Amino acid sequence: MTLGPALLAAALGSAPTVDVYTMGQGSDLFERFGHAAICVTRAEGTRCYNYGTTDFASPPEELGWRFLRGDAKFWVSVWPLPRMLEVYRQHDRTVWRQRLPLSAAEARAVAARLEHDALPANRYYRYHHFDDNCSTRVRDVIDEGTAGRLSADGRRSLAASFRTLGKERLAGERVPLLFGDLLVGRRADQVVDVHDGMFLPDVLRAEITRRFGVAPRVVYQRQGPAFPKDLGSNVPYFVVPGLALGALAAALGQRRWARALVGIALGLLALTVWGVALVSSVRELRFNELALVLWPTDFALAFLGLERARRYARLRLIALSLCALLSAVGALLQPVLPIIVLAGLPLFFVAFAGYPWRASSRTDATA
């Protein structure tokens, strides 16, 4: 990093104090993971650097598309401390402060880096929920200014995956949890080390306490009810529809439109998973093991005759059995078994209900 005259003057001036502020959960979905900011205090006042700034007022479909494409533009904004604290009080989010015990050289280095990042030419970055966000940026600024003190032993395991950590913060938000199990792929199930786990502000706060010996001080305490902690299980939300679709297919016998219903339902589910994987440039969405479980070719059940539909369903059951075996031996990391049940039950009834058939072509023709 090359310092301009203003940054050089800041770096050579009197040593500032540096505070890390971490914020608890908020009511909006994008607030459920918490937030982090870092503030520099000099004689003339306090400047707070917020790397979590974007245009949240843009249409949800537009912002969602940018996240899907890995093209969400965030930037660092600079706020006066009173304004920042007031915003989080208004949103009723707990705020903690930790003053970093830095040497004069370290404090100047951190302050200079923050001023560098706030310049118009440097302020923008492409957001990534796990790898590059408001909390990881604060982590990296501290590490750069302190020769890696914060992450010195950051490769020890948190004994949890990105998926587990994310689910814990989304407790009570059933729809996002379901979509997460469907659309978020293999990388989310890798075990996270402490360095990567600092994408979460509460992990960052704990590591600052451990590495710098600074206990967090509560600046503002949330007044509203506590957020839910009980995750529940997504399994029934996948298994029950599979049972219902399979039972419906069995009750209706081998009517063509019953097979079509199974094919369209499974095909749409597969099209969602495959479509997101194909259009996204985010690796957590691109490499989704459920693409092995859910096939867009299931739409063919709406058009195949009875015997061909039975043969196709048996082929799919073999493929699903292989996926279950791969999951059992640990080759697949994602929670695929509930989705295997969701797809397997109706396909089983298509393949075997009422077997053997008599005069199958006649039955199919009159259905």
Side-chain angles (χ1 to χ4, degrees):
M1 178 181 69
T2 302
L3 298 180
L7 300 185
L8 186 60
L12 296 177
S14 60
T17 57
V18 179
D19 296 291
V20 173
Y21 286 83
T22 47
M23 293 72 172
Q25 293 178 304
S27 299
D28 291 336
L29 186 63
F30 62 84
E31 296 174 338
R32 293 297 296 273
F33 288 83
H35 183 60
I38 185 166
C39 301
V40 174
T41 301
R42 298 184 184 276
E44 59 271 22
T46 301
R47 289 162 60 86
C48 295
Y49 300 82
N50 175 7
Y51 287 88
T53 311
T54 192
D55 183 11
F56 288 108
S58 61
E61 62 276 10
E62 179 183 329
L63 186 60
W65 176 251
R66 294 202 299 265
F67 274 101
L68 181 64
R69 293 289 300 154
D71 195 32
K73 183 183 289 186
F74 275 58
W75 58 89
V76 55
S77 57
V78 182
W79 294 6
L81 177 61
R83 177 194 169 200
M84 185 184 79
L85 294 179
E86 182 58 29
V87 166
Y88 289 99
R89 287 192 187 98
Q90 290 176 359
H91 285 81
D92 196 23
R93 298 174 65 179
T94 302
V95 179
W96 293 267
R97 188 191 79 183
Q98 291 168 290
R99 177 155 293 175
L100 300 182
L102 306 180
S103 68
E106 289 173 335
R108 292 190 187 102
V110 168
R113 178 72 214 194
L114 293 168
E115 284 299 312
H116 170 271
D117 286 358
L119 292 174
N122 306 323
R123 63 194 300 228
Y124 295 99
Y125 70 98
R126 298 196 185 282
Y127 178 92
H128 187 284
H129 187 70
F130 297 144
D131 298 335
D132 202 355
N133 67 12
C134 64
S135 188
T136 65
R137 289 260 161 170
V138 171
R139 174 200 67 195
D140 294 345
V141 166
I142 296 171
D143 267 340
E144 181 179 300
T146 64
R149 284 173 61 191
L150 180 57
S151 298
D153 63 346
R155 295 306 171 189
R156 73 185 191 282
S157 174
L158 273 181
S161 66
F162 284 118
R163 192 183 305 276
T164 300
L165 294 171
K167 282 185 172 185
E168 289 172 353
R169 277 110 189 129
L170 290 174
E173 300 286 346
R174 186 56 53 192
V175 172
L177 287 171
L178 289 171
F179 273 102
D181 275 352
L182 276 175
L183 302 179
V184 180
R186 178 184 178 90
R187 190 208 173 195
D189 294 286
Q190 297 172 354
V191 176
V192 182
D193 61 32
V194 170
H195 176 271
D196 291 345
M198 282 189 273
F199 84 96
L200 293 169
D202 54 318
V203 177
L204 173 68
R205 182 170 62 248
E207 282 305 292
I208 289 174
T209 298
R210 201 179 71 85
R211 297 298 304 170
F212 290 93
V214 181
R217 184 175 75 83
V218 175
V219 177
Y220 173 78
Q221 179 65 52
R222 175 177 167 81
Q223 303 301 302
F227 288 95
K229 298 296 184 184
D230 183 16
L231 283 175
S233 173
N234 282 347
V235 172
Y237 294 91
F238 296 120
V239 172
V240 171
L243 283 168
L245 191 58
L248 183 61
L252 293 173
Q254 287 299 327
R255 293 178 172 84
R256 182 185 292 273
W257 69 269
R259 298 196 300 275
L261 181 63
V262 171
I264 291 170
L266 295 182
L268 287 173
L269 200 59
L271 196 62
T272 302
V273 170
W274 281 64
V276 168
L278 288 171
V279 304
S280 179
S281 59
V282 180
R283 60 175 170 158
E284 288 81 12
L285 302 179
R286 283 185 62 82
F287 302 102
N288 190 338
E289 293 171 352
L290 289 182
L292 302 174
V293 176
L294 298 168
W295 295 5
T297 53
D298 289 349
F299 280 117
L301 290 173
F303 307 101
L304 293 175
L306 178 57
E307 289 302 322
R308 288 184 177 178
R310 287 169 57 197
R311 287 196 293 270
Y312 174 83
R314 290 170 186 170
L315 172 65
R316 288 285 285 115
L317 289 172
I318 292 171
L320 290 175
S321 299
L322 289 174
C323 289
L325 178 61
L326 290 172
S327 178
V329 300
L332 299 183
L333 299 182
Q334 292 177 227
V336 298
L337 291 179
I339 316 300
I340 290 175
V341 174
L342 169 61
L345 287 173
L347 287 169
F348 177 85
F349 284 110
V350 170
F352 298 111
Y355 179 82
W357 323 112
R358 290 185 305 163
S360 59
S361 60
R362 185 186 313 164
T363 302
D364 197 51
T366 57

